[in-house]
Amino acid sequence: QVQLVESGGGLVQAGGSLRLSCAASGSIFRINDMGWYRQAPGKQRELVAVVTSSGRTDYADSVKGRFTISRDNAKNMVYLQMNSLAPEDTAVYYCNAKMIIRLTMTNQDYWGRGTQVTVSS
């Protein structure tokens, strides 16, 4: 069984920082892109940041300059360092990975269960 488990969410004041972590585990053949999405109440899930297996990154305009995505391929982990947090960053943050698992040998999307980030003003 393959799973993604997030950690690091919580409550922080505006201007503060948080670091999210996500660990992929299971019978994984290869992990391609890894990323973070978020969903605020009443809104659609949106891409926050993505990092390819070679380390290329891309960010939503709303978080550029404040958030940094990174990954540790040896540990099958992805991180999101969030600085200068604002109340509009409040959302459930989901880890996403495009992985090839040994059972199917096909590239598929996998999601974590999400971690709540709340930024107070």
Side-chain angles (χ1 to χ4, degrees):
Q1 184 178 358
V2 175
Q3 61 178 350
L4 298 174
V5 178
E6 302 103 334
S7 61
L11 173 64
V12 64
Q13 289 187 331
S17 298
L18 282 174
R19 186 186 192 224
L20 305 183
S21 300
C22 173
S25 63
S27 185
I28 300 168
F29 177 74
R30 184 170 69 236
I31 303 177
N32 295 313
D33 293 357
M34 301 186 82
W36 291 93
Y37 289 71
R38 67 185 181 187
Q39 187 166 18
K43 294 188 177 181
Q44 290 188 329
R45 190 173 297 189
E46 63 175 0
L47 174 67
V48 176
V50 63
V51 57
T52 69
S53 56
S54 62
R56 183 175 62 85
T57 59
D58 197 13
Y59 297 90
D61 287 342
S62 59
V63 307
K64 283 181 180 176
R66 300 188 298 124
F67 291 11
T68 302
I69 190 170
S70 60
R71 65 189 283 174
D72 184 332
N73 291 331
K75 296 180 179 179
N76 289 345
M77 295 196 68
V78 63
Y79 307 96
L80 185 69
Q81 178 65 44
M82 305 185 292
N83 299 328
S84 301
L85 283 162
E88 51 265 36
D89 295 315
T90 295
V92 177
Y93 284 70
Y94 296 91
C95 177
N96 169 267
K98 293 173 173 51
M99 299 191 288
I100 299 174
I101 64 171
R102 297 184 186 278
L103 180 64
T104 64
M105 294 303 287
T106 58
N107 192 33
Q108 292 181 308
D109 265 325
Y110 292 86
W111 293 90
R113 298 181 68 177
T115 185
Q116 177 70 45
V117 171
T118 303
V119 184
S120 63
S121 57

